[in-house]
Amino acid sequence: MCRRKHRTTGDRVSVHVPGPPQKSLEHDWTRTTRLAKPYPNQDDAGPIVHCLMDLQGAAGCDTAQDRTRICSNASSTAPLGRNMAMSMQYASSQLGPQPTDIPLSSVFQETNEQKLHKIANELLKTERAYVTRLNLLDQVFCAKLMEEALKGTFPVDVVKNIFSNISSINTFHSQFLLPDLEKRMGEWESTPRLGDILQKLTPFLKMYAEYVKNFDKAMELLKQWTDRSPQFKAIIQDIQSQEACGCLTLQHHMLEPVQRVPRYEMLLKDYLKKLPQDDPDHRDAEKSLNIIAMAATHSNSAIRKSENLKKLLEIYEMLGEEEDIVNASNEFIKEGHILKLAARNTSAMERYLFLFNNMLLYCVPKFSLGGPKYTVRTRIGIEGMKVLGTTNEDYPHTFQVSGKERTLELQAFQKTIEIFHQKNETFKSASKDVLVSTAELGKRAPRWIRDNEVTMCMKCKESFNALTRRRHHCRACGYVVCWKCSDNKVALEYDSNKINKVCKDCYSILTGEEKAEGKKKGILEIEAAQFSGSSIMCGFLQYCEKNKPWGKVWCLIPEKEALVLYLYGAPQDVKAQSTIPLLGYSVEDSPRPADLPASFRLSQSKSVHSFAAESDELKQRWLKVIRVAVTGEVPECPPPNDATGTMAIDGAQETSSDS
């Protein structure tokens, strides 16, 4: 009886059999996959696709006869299929129809425990790489610039304002989170869990709020001082040329902390999906996900800005780093090939356009081995620009762009026109026979349009993409819409009157009111009155930031966000002036000569916030709550009959409600 060994290596499987020529299934599978890659679609790669499907079918057979039958079918498909079939027939003949045969399908399957280990290992691997980037920012870029700043070449505050609290973030990840993850992965066989570690450490992720809030200012300062100071620019360029930088700019590396927290959220969601409900780690992992999701809300807006900035950096490199376009005020809109019609003759020349919110760059392609490169011929400002359709007998689909700087006659590529018509036809075909009548809207579950049946939002007709405009389904009509067009919620009768996301048209029909068009509310646009009734602490305090004059503000710590202090101008304001994520702040209550009586301070890195209460009793009530919040713990509401502080707060609330 022959002996068999199965060995798994990633997604590849080797079946080792005794006897002459050792041509394993691993060889054929890898060869087939490698040969299949150059084919752009299934029609071109038909024989290979069929062979792969046949091989996959053979993997699910439990007997040698079945495997031989499928391999015979594969051999008639293509020469590649015949080679694969011969290899599989040989393996089958060697394995024989023994009762102890192990089905190949079981070798390919990955257990749930292996999937959980893979996610945990990916978290550790990405964390190591991330700590390396943090160390580069903190110990190399920041340290070198600070060393030069101390010589008086440029202000020290410039370096501090650019890098914000990156040192605190680096310390947390390198000395706490990464060591704990490495220790846990070393003992994974005995303790296969992540939730307990993350639940303990994830509250500290809220320190990212300060970095994210400062990001736009940091980018402006970086650009300003790179242009102003030759020494500043030389230090950065010297570090960027080193191998540790990976041929990336400082701006690229500074994007990493902005994007890190949402990546934790994605990995933990995947971990929870694979984790059984009754697993001991499920509760801790779920709590950790809630904390991370709250911290990620502070990063979402900055991520959208960072994606735009990353695109600006890419274009900056494509233009030979000569054009001044890396600016927070510049918003990338569209790019693409175009034909420029010569003014003197009928020839057309290939050109490339970059459209931004404030300008149009008209570029000429140039030869380059390192990717697409362009030279800017004209920069046309959007202000005062006119776009007119023109008629040209030799060139259809022409239009004219007229600006203060130059007037261009352009023609869209035929491929672009075909894609446009194809999208419209896709939209029209997807819209047929899927309408839910107005009388049944919300009462009957709609048929969902498949994602692959449309290429654009079925309401605003904007094209979908994987980053900024993803697909969503209206739960009332089943249309595929973008996030802007699905930013409405209403109770649906067919779903037991549960609140569901619907498109703007269905919202208007179901509620009888028009949904006002406008931008989505930011994190500051929450009414103070909405929080005051369910807050841990609220009331008037005197407030001072840096050297600004003292002013009276309505301070509030809501129960839903117990680690954030909201500052309003008045108790009924619909938008907060600012927020302070309390986690990680230091609390000082020692008196200073310039401060008001009953004052205290919150400080972190370069940020110092000074407050003053009406009395020492009220000050102590605030300190009792804040000192708990800065540690990451949820503070309790102070007793309602606790001295005079309660009357001051309650009185303020009553006054605001009477007004």
PDB file of all heavy atoms in Angstrom, residues 137-164:
ATOM      1  N   LEU A 137       8.582  59.206  11.899  1.00  0.00           N
ATOM      2  CA  LEU A 137       8.043  60.551  12.079  1.00  0.00           C
ATOM      3  C   LEU A 137       8.573  61.204  13.351  1.00  0.00           C
ATOM      4  O   LEU A 137       8.980  62.367  13.345  1.00  0.00           O
ATOM      5  CB  LEU A 137       6.511  60.489  12.138  1.00  0.00           C
ATOM      6  CG  LEU A 137       5.773  60.246  10.821  1.00  0.00           C
ATOM      7  CD1 LEU A 137       4.298  60.007  11.098  1.00  0.00           C
ATOM      8  CD2 LEU A 137       5.936  61.429   9.880  1.00  0.00           C
ATOM      9  N   ASP A 138       8.566  60.432  14.449  1.00  0.00           N
ATOM     10  CA  ASP A 138       8.891  61.001  15.761  1.00  0.00           C
ATOM     11  C   ASP A 138      10.399  61.147  15.975  1.00  0.00           C
ATOM     12  O   ASP A 138      10.891  62.228  16.322  1.00  0.00           O
ATOM     13  CB  ASP A 138       8.270  60.115  16.846  1.00  0.00           C
ATOM     14  CG  ASP A 138       8.536  60.624  18.243  1.00  0.00           C
ATOM     15  OD1 ASP A 138       8.736  61.844  18.406  1.00  0.00           O
ATOM     16  OD2 ASP A 138       8.549  59.811  19.187  1.00  0.00           O
ATOM     17  N   GLN A 139      11.123  60.041  15.772  1.00  0.00           N
ATOM     18  CA  GLN A 139      12.538  60.019  16.126  1.00  0.00           C
ATOM     19  C   GLN A 139      13.471  60.493  15.011  1.00  0.00           C
ATOM     20  O   GLN A 139      14.647  60.724  15.261  1.00  0.00           O
ATOM     21  CB  GLN A 139      12.936  58.585  16.532  1.00  0.00           C
ATOM     22  CG  GLN A 139      12.156  58.046  17.711  1.00  0.00           C
ATOM     23  CD  GLN A 139      12.368  58.873  18.964  1.00  0.00           C
ATOM     24  OE1 GLN A 139      13.473  59.342  19.237  1.00  0.00           O
ATOM     25  NE2 GLN A 139      11.307  59.072  19.741  1.00  0.00           N
ATOM     26  N   VAL A 140      12.959  60.609  13.788  1.00  0.00           N
ATOM     27  CA  VAL A 140      13.818  61.043  12.679  1.00  0.00           C
ATOM     28  C   VAL A 140      13.397  62.424  12.183  1.00  0.00           C
ATOM     29  O   VAL A 140      14.110  63.406  12.368  1.00  0.00           O
ATOM     30  CB  VAL A 140      13.790  60.011  11.523  1.00  0.00           C
ATOM     31  CG1 VAL A 140      14.730  60.455  10.407  1.00  0.00           C
ATOM     32  CG2 VAL A 140      14.196  58.635  12.024  1.00  0.00           C
ATOM     33  N   PHE A 141      12.220  62.508  11.566  1.00  0.00           N
ATOM     34  CA  PHE A 141      11.777  63.796  11.019  1.00  0.00           C
ATOM     35  C   PHE A 141      11.660  64.856  12.117  1.00  0.00           C
ATOM     36  O   PHE A 141      12.277  65.927  12.044  1.00  0.00           O
ATOM     37  CB  PHE A 141      10.424  63.637  10.316  1.00  0.00           C
ATOM     38  CG  PHE A 141      10.521  63.135   8.913  1.00  0.00           C
ATOM     39  CD1 PHE A 141      10.131  61.846   8.601  1.00  0.00           C
ATOM     40  CD2 PHE A 141      11.001  63.949   7.896  1.00  0.00           C
ATOM     41  CE1 PHE A 141      10.215  61.375   7.304  1.00  0.00           C
ATOM     42  CE2 PHE A 141      11.085  63.491   6.587  1.00  0.00           C
ATOM     43  CZ  PHE A 141      10.695  62.198   6.298  1.00  0.00           C
ATOM     44  N   CYS A 142      10.851  64.545  13.131  1.00  0.00           N
ATOM     45  CA  CYS A 142      10.606  65.533  14.195  1.00  0.00           C
ATOM     46  C   CYS A 142      11.885  65.860  14.958  1.00  0.00           C
ATOM     47  O   CYS A 142      12.172  67.029  15.248  1.00  0.00           O
ATOM     48  CB  CYS A 142       9.525  65.009  15.137  1.00  0.00           C
ATOM     49  SG  CYS A 142       9.043  66.177  16.431  1.00  0.00           S
ATOM     50  N   ALA A 143      12.665  64.831  15.296  1.00  0.00           N
ATOM     51  CA  ALA A 143      13.881  65.043  16.083  1.00  0.00           C
ATOM     52  C   ALA A 143      14.910  65.881  15.320  1.00  0.00           C
ATOM     53  O   ALA A 143      15.523  66.801  15.880  1.00  0.00           O
ATOM     54  CB  ALA A 143      14.479  63.694  16.477  1.00  0.00           C
ATOM     55  N   LYS A 144      15.115  65.583  14.033  1.00  0.00           N
ATOM     56  CA  LYS A 144      16.094  66.327  13.234  1.00  0.00           C
ATOM     57  C   LYS A 144      15.674  67.791  13.069  1.00  0.00           C
ATOM     58  O   LYS A 144      16.502  68.706  13.179  1.00  0.00           O
ATOM     59  CB  LYS A 144      16.241  65.678  11.862  1.00  0.00           C
ATOM     60  CG  LYS A 144      16.856  64.293  11.882  1.00  0.00           C
ATOM     61  CD  LYS A 144      18.352  64.341  12.081  1.00  0.00           C
ATOM     62  CE  LYS A 144      18.962  62.956  11.942  1.00  0.00           C
ATOM     63  NZ  LYS A 144      20.425  62.967  12.193  1.00  0.00           N
ATOM     64  N   LEU A 145      14.379  68.007  12.790  1.00  0.00           N
ATOM     65  CA  LEU A 145      13.902  69.379  12.628  1.00  0.00           C
ATOM     66  C   LEU A 145      13.962  70.142  13.945  1.00  0.00           C
ATOM     67  O   LEU A 145      14.294  71.332  13.973  1.00  0.00           O
ATOM     68  CB  LEU A 145      12.473  69.368  12.084  1.00  0.00           C
ATOM     69  CG  LEU A 145      12.325  68.933  10.613  1.00  0.00           C
ATOM     70  CD1 LEU A 145      10.860  68.738  10.264  1.00  0.00           C
ATOM     71  CD2 LEU A 145      12.956  69.958   9.684  1.00  0.00           C
ATOM     72  N   MET A 146      13.642  69.478  15.048  1.00  0.00           N
ATOM     73  CA  MET A 146      13.695  70.143  16.357  1.00  0.00           C
ATOM     74  C   MET A 146      15.131  70.497  16.724  1.00  0.00           C
ATOM     75  O   MET A 146      15.403  71.567  17.292  1.00  0.00           O
ATOM     76  CB  MET A 146      13.083  69.218  17.418  1.00  0.00           C
ATOM     77  CG  MET A 146      12.989  69.852  18.799  1.00  0.00           C
ATOM     78  SD  MET A 146      11.940  71.320  18.819  1.00  0.00           S
ATOM     79  CE  MET A 146      10.333  70.548  18.660  1.00  0.00           C
ATOM     80  N   GLU A 147      16.067  69.618  16.382  1.00  0.00           N
ATOM     81  CA  GLU A 147      17.485  69.886  16.648  1.00  0.00           C
ATOM     82  C   GLU A 147      17.947  71.143  15.914  1.00  0.00           C
ATOM     83  O   GLU A 147      18.674  71.969  16.463  1.00  0.00           O
ATOM     84  CB  GLU A 147      18.305  68.673  16.211  1.00  0.00           C
ATOM     85  CG  GLU A 147      19.796  68.805  16.466  1.00  0.00           C
ATOM     86  CD  GLU A 147      20.580  67.595  15.980  1.00  0.00           C
ATOM     87  OE1 GLU A 147      19.949  66.547  15.719  1.00  0.00           O
ATOM     88  OE2 GLU A 147      21.816  67.710  15.832  1.00  0.00           O
ATOM     89  N   GLU A 148      17.502  71.294  14.671  1.00  0.00           N
ATOM     90  CA  GLU A 148      17.869  72.480  13.902  1.00  0.00           C
ATOM     91  C   GLU A 148      17.137  73.716  14.408  1.00  0.00           C
ATOM     92  O   GLU A 148      17.695  74.824  14.422  1.00  0.00           O
ATOM     93  CB  GLU A 148      17.551  72.243  12.417  1.00  0.00           C
ATOM     94  CG  GLU A 148      17.986  73.347  11.485  1.00  0.00           C
ATOM     95  CD  GLU A 148      19.500  73.483  11.395  1.00  0.00           C
ATOM     96  OE1 GLU A 148      20.207  72.469  11.657  1.00  0.00           O
ATOM     97  OE2 GLU A 148      19.982  74.588  11.064  1.00  0.00           O
ATOM     98  N   ALA A 149      15.889  73.537  14.842  1.00  0.00           N
ATOM     99  CA  ALA A 149      15.101  74.670  15.340  1.00  0.00           C
ATOM    100  C   ALA A 149      15.708  75.244  16.614  1.00  0.00           C
ATOM    101  O   ALA A 149      15.662  76.467  16.850  1.00  0.00           O
ATOM    102  CB  ALA A 149      13.659  74.240  15.587  1.00  0.00           C
ATOM    103  N   LEU A 150      16.287  74.381  17.461  1.00  0.00           N
ATOM    104  CA  LEU A 150      16.905  74.852  18.706  1.00  0.00           C
ATOM    105  C   LEU A 150      18.143  75.709  18.433  1.00  0.00           C
ATOM    106  O   LEU A 150      18.598  76.445  19.312  1.00  0.00           O
ATOM    107  CB  LEU A 150      17.281  73.650  19.583  1.00  0.00           C
ATOM    108  CG  LEU A 150      16.095  72.867  20.162  1.00  0.00           C
ATOM    109  CD1 LEU A 150      16.560  71.606  20.878  1.00  0.00           C
ATOM    110  CD2 LEU A 150      15.297  73.757  21.124  1.00  0.00           C
ATOM    111  N   LYS A 151      18.674  75.622  17.216  1.00  0.00           N
ATOM    112  CA  LYS A 151      19.799  76.486  16.840  1.00  0.00           C
ATOM    113  C   LYS A 151      19.333  77.873  16.405  1.00  0.00           C
ATOM    114  O   LYS A 151      20.148  78.747  16.120  1.00  0.00           O
ATOM    115  CB  LYS A 151      20.599  75.845  15.706  1.00  0.00           C
ATOM    116  CG  LYS A 151      21.212  74.496  16.051  1.00  0.00           C
ATOM    117  CD  LYS A 151      21.933  73.898  14.834  1.00  0.00           C
ATOM    118  CE  LYS A 151      22.502  72.522  15.140  1.00  0.00           C
ATOM    119  NZ  LYS A 151      23.160  71.930  13.939  1.00  0.00           N
ATOM    120  N   GLY A 152      18.003  78.055  16.319  1.00  0.00           N
ATOM    121  CA  GLY A 152      17.444  79.348  15.940  1.00  0.00           C
ATOM    122  C   GLY A 152      17.216  79.522  14.454  1.00  0.00           C
ATOM    123  O   GLY A 152      16.912  80.621  13.994  1.00  0.00           O
ATOM    124  N   THR A 153      17.358  78.445  13.679  1.00  0.00           N
ATOM    125  CA  THR A 153      17.177  78.545  12.226  1.00  0.00           C
ATOM    126  C   THR A 153      15.730  78.864  11.870  1.00  0.00           C
ATOM    127  O   THR A 153      15.453  79.651  10.970  1.00  0.00           O
ATOM    128  CB  THR A 153      17.597  77.229  11.547  1.00  0.00           C
ATOM    129  OG1 THR A 153      18.899  76.862  12.008  1.00  0.00           O
ATOM    130  CG2 THR A 153      17.609  77.382  10.035  1.00  0.00           C
ATOM    131  N   PHE A 154      14.796  78.225  12.566  1.00  0.00           N
ATOM    132  CA  PHE A 154      13.364  78.493  12.400  1.00  0.00           C
ATOM    133  C   PHE A 154      12.696  78.223  13.750  1.00  0.00           C
ATOM    134  O   PHE A 154      13.272  77.570  14.631  1.00  0.00           O
ATOM    135  CB  PHE A 154      12.752  77.637  11.287  1.00  0.00           C
ATOM    136  CG  PHE A 154      13.226  76.202  11.256  1.00  0.00           C
ATOM    137  CD1 PHE A 154      12.667  75.245  12.094  1.00  0.00           C
ATOM    138  CD2 PHE A 154      14.238  75.818  10.389  1.00  0.00           C
ATOM    139  CE1 PHE A 154      13.101  73.939  12.071  1.00  0.00           C
ATOM    140  CE2 PHE A 154      14.685  74.506  10.358  1.00  0.00           C
ATOM    141  CZ  PHE A 154      14.115  73.562  11.200  1.00  0.00           C
ATOM    142  N   PRO A 155      11.480  78.722  13.969  1.00  0.00           N
ATOM    143  CA  PRO A 155      10.847  78.627  15.289  1.00  0.00           C
ATOM    144  C   PRO A 155      10.594  77.182  15.731  1.00  0.00           C
ATOM    145  O   PRO A 155      10.210  76.331  14.922  1.00  0.00           O
ATOM    146  CB  PRO A 155       9.514  79.374  15.104  1.00  0.00           C
ATOM    147  CG  PRO A 155       9.723  80.258  13.920  1.00  0.00           C
ATOM    148  CD  PRO A 155      10.669  79.524  13.029  1.00  0.00           C
ATOM    149  N   VAL A 156      10.788  76.952  17.020  1.00  0.00           N
ATOM    150  CA  VAL A 156      10.512  75.632  17.604  1.00  0.00           C
ATOM    151  C   VAL A 156       9.025  75.305  17.513  1.00  0.00           C
ATOM    152  O   VAL A 156       8.633  74.147  17.286  1.00  0.00           O
ATOM    153  CB  VAL A 156      10.989  75.586  19.071  1.00  0.00           C
ATOM    154  CG1 VAL A 156      10.553  74.289  19.746  1.00  0.00           C
ATOM    155  CG2 VAL A 156      12.505  75.732  19.143  1.00  0.00           C
ATOM    156  N   ASP A 157       8.170  76.323  17.682  1.00  0.00           N
ATOM    157  CA  ASP A 157       6.728  76.095  17.634  1.00  0.00           C
ATOM    158  C   ASP A 157       6.266  75.563  16.282  1.00  0.00           C
ATOM    159  O   ASP A 157       5.251  74.873  16.199  1.00  0.00           O
ATOM    160  CB  ASP A 157       5.969  77.393  17.955  1.00  0.00           C
ATOM    161  CG  ASP A 157       6.030  77.737  19.431  1.00  0.00           C
ATOM    162  OD1 ASP A 157       6.383  76.837  20.214  1.00  0.00           O
ATOM    163  OD2 ASP A 157       5.728  78.894  19.789  1.00  0.00           O
ATOM    164  N   VAL A 158       6.994  75.898  15.225  1.00  0.00           N
ATOM    165  CA  VAL A 158       6.627  75.387  13.902  1.00  0.00           C
ATOM    166  C   VAL A 158       6.712  73.864  13.885  1.00  0.00           C
ATOM    167  O   VAL A 158       5.803  73.171  13.404  1.00  0.00           O
ATOM    168  CB  VAL A 158       7.550  75.991  12.817  1.00  0.00           C
ATOM    169  CG1 VAL A 158       7.346  75.274  11.483  1.00  0.00           C
ATOM    170  CG2 VAL A 158       7.279  77.473  12.662  1.00  0.00           C
ATOM    171  N   VAL A 159       7.793  73.318  14.430  1.00  0.00           N
ATOM    172  CA  VAL A 159       7.969  71.865  14.478  1.00  0.00           C
ATOM    173  C   VAL A 159       6.913  71.227  15.369  1.00  0.00           C
ATOM    174  O   VAL A 159       6.313  70.196  15.024  1.00  0.00           O
ATOM    175  CB  VAL A 159       9.388  71.504  14.969  1.00  0.00           C
ATOM    176  CG1 VAL A 159       9.583  69.993  14.967  1.00  0.00           C
ATOM    177  CG2 VAL A 159      10.441  72.179  14.106  1.00  0.00           C
ATOM    178  N   LYS A 160       6.651  71.848  16.521  1.00  0.00           N
ATOM    179  CA  LYS A 160       5.639  71.303  17.432  1.00  0.00           C
ATOM    180  C   LYS A 160       4.262  71.297  16.781  1.00  0.00           C
ATOM    181  O   LYS A 160       3.491  70.337  16.919  1.00  0.00           O
ATOM    182  CB  LYS A 160       5.602  72.123  18.723  1.00  0.00           C
ATOM    183  CG  LYS A 160       6.820  71.947  19.611  1.00  0.00           C
ATOM    184  CD  LYS A 160       6.671  72.751  20.893  1.00  0.00           C
ATOM    185  CE  LYS A 160       7.862  72.543  21.815  1.00  0.00           C
ATOM    186  NZ  LYS A 160       7.743  73.332  23.059  1.00  0.00           N
ATOM    187  N   ASN A 161       3.934  72.367  16.075  1.00  0.00           N
ATOM    188  CA  ASN A 161       2.611  72.462  15.452  1.00  0.00           C
ATOM    189  C   ASN A 161       2.463  71.513  14.276  1.00  0.00           C
ATOM    190  O   ASN A 161       1.352  71.079  13.969  1.00  0.00           O
ATOM    191  CB  ASN A 161       2.345  73.900  14.993  1.00  0.00           C
ATOM    192  CG  ASN A 161       2.121  74.840  16.153  1.00  0.00           C
ATOM    193  OD1 ASN A 161       1.645  74.425  17.207  1.00  0.00           O
ATOM    194  ND2 ASN A 161       2.471  76.105  15.981  1.00  0.00           N
ATOM    195  N   ILE A 162       3.554  71.188  13.611  1.00  0.00           N
ATOM    196  CA  ILE A 162       3.478  70.252  12.486  1.00  0.00           C
ATOM    197  C   ILE A 162       3.248  68.831  12.977  1.00  0.00           C
ATOM    198  O   ILE A 162       2.390  68.108  12.459  1.00  0.00           O
ATOM    199  CB  ILE A 162       4.756  70.330  11.629  1.00  0.00           C
ATOM    200  CG1 ILE A 162       4.795  71.644  10.839  1.00  0.00           C
ATOM    201  CG2 ILE A 162       4.840  69.138  10.665  1.00  0.00           C
ATOM    202  CD1 ILE A 162       6.076  71.865  10.059  1.00  0.00           C
ATOM    203  N   PHE A 163       3.990  68.422  13.993  1.00  0.00           N
ATOM    204  CA  PHE A 163       3.937  67.026  14.430  1.00  0.00           C
ATOM    205  C   PHE A 163       2.964  66.783  15.576  1.00  0.00           C
ATOM    206  O   PHE A 163       2.762  65.627  15.960  1.00  0.00           O
ATOM    207  CB  PHE A 163       5.341  66.537  14.806  1.00  0.00           C
ATOM    208  CG  PHE A 163       6.261  66.441  13.627  1.00  0.00           C
ATOM    209  CD1 PHE A 163       7.123  67.481  13.309  1.00  0.00           C
ATOM    210  CD2 PHE A 163       6.244  65.322  12.817  1.00  0.00           C
ATOM    211  CE1 PHE A 163       7.961  67.407  12.217  1.00  0.00           C
ATOM    212  CE2 PHE A 163       7.082  65.232  11.720  1.00  0.00           C
ATOM    213  CZ  PHE A 163       7.945  66.277  11.417  1.00  0.00           C
ATOM    214  N   SER A 164       2.386  67.832  16.138  1.00  0.00           N
ATOM    215  CA  SER A 164       1.335  67.709  17.143  1.00  0.00           C
ATOM    216  C   SER A 164       1.757  66.733  18.254  1.00  0.00           C
ATOM    217  O   SER A 164       2.852  66.848  18.794  1.00  0.00           O
ATOM    218  CB  SER A 164       0.037  67.260  16.455  1.00  0.00           C
ATOM    219  OG  SER A 164      -1.045  67.291  17.330  1.00  0.00           O
TER     220      SER A 164
END
